[in-house]
């Protein structure tokens, strides 16, 4: 059993880039280096999520869709009742909020 377990440990160590003759101090250095890399990656992801630019773009995308689509559907409803001036005003208000409403034209 010990031979099989040792072979498994050696295989795992080889996959992780740890030499077979590694002492516990060398292994700790390699683990510390890996842990620092992992924490720097996590820190960069947290900073990216807290970034003002990313946050503002996401929030603008979230909150502009609702009013824009409401104005578009209201404009379509008004167009169906043959009130073209009010419909055009509502449609232009929707376009002024978000330009992707032009895809409905």
């Amino acid at each position: 059993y010990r031979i099989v377990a040792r072979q498994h440990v050696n295989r795992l160590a080889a996959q992780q880039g740890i030499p077979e003759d590694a002492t516990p101090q060398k292994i700790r250095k390699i683990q510390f280096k890996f842990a620092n890399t992992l924490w720097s990656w996590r820190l960069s992801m947290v900073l990216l999520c807290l970034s003002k630019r990313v946050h503002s773009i996401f929030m603008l995308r979230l909150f502009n869709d609702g009013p824009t689509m409401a104005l578009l559907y209201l404009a379509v409803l008004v167009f169906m009742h043959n009130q073209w001036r009010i419909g055009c005003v509502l449609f232009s208000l929707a376009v002024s909020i978000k330009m992707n409403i032009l895809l409905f034209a």
Side-chain angles (χ1 to χ4, degrees):
Y1 175 74
R2 287 183 179 202
I3 294 172
V4 173
R6 186 66 186 157
Q7 289 173 349
H8 181 67
V9 168
N10 287 343
R11 194 174 335 117
L12 287 175
Q15 289 173 354
Q16 295 175 0
I18 300 172
E20 287 185 26
D21 61 340
T23 61
Q25 291 82 15
K26 286 183 183 177
I27 292 174
R28 270 189 244 126
K29 283 182 183 179
I30 293 171
Q31 288 173 342
F32 183 73
K33 181 181 175 185
F34 178 72
N36 281 345
T37 305
L38 188 64
W39 276 106
S40 65
W41 182 251
R42 286 181 183 169
L43 179 65
S44 64
M45 292 305 290
V46 166
L47 290 176
L48 178 66
C49 290
L50 294 177
S51 167
K52 293 279 188 185
R53 176 127 176 96
V54 171
H55 186 265
S56 68
I57 289 172
F58 179 72
M59 296 307 279
L60 285 175
R61 186 178 61 95
L62 259 179
F63 290 115
N64 282 347
D65 283 346
T68 304
M69 293 306 290
L71 285 171
L72 173 72
Y73 289 140
L74 193 59
V76 170
L77 181 70
V78 171
F79 284 143
M80 287 172 30
H81 290 289
N82 283 333
Q83 296 177 347
W84 292 95
R85 282 191 183 166
I86 298 172
C88 288
V89 168
L90 290 173
F91 187 77
S92 66
L93 284 174
V95 169
S96 71
I97 293 175
K98 200 159 188 176
M99 292 293 285
N100 68 351
I101 295 302
L102 286 174
L103 298 172
F104 286 93

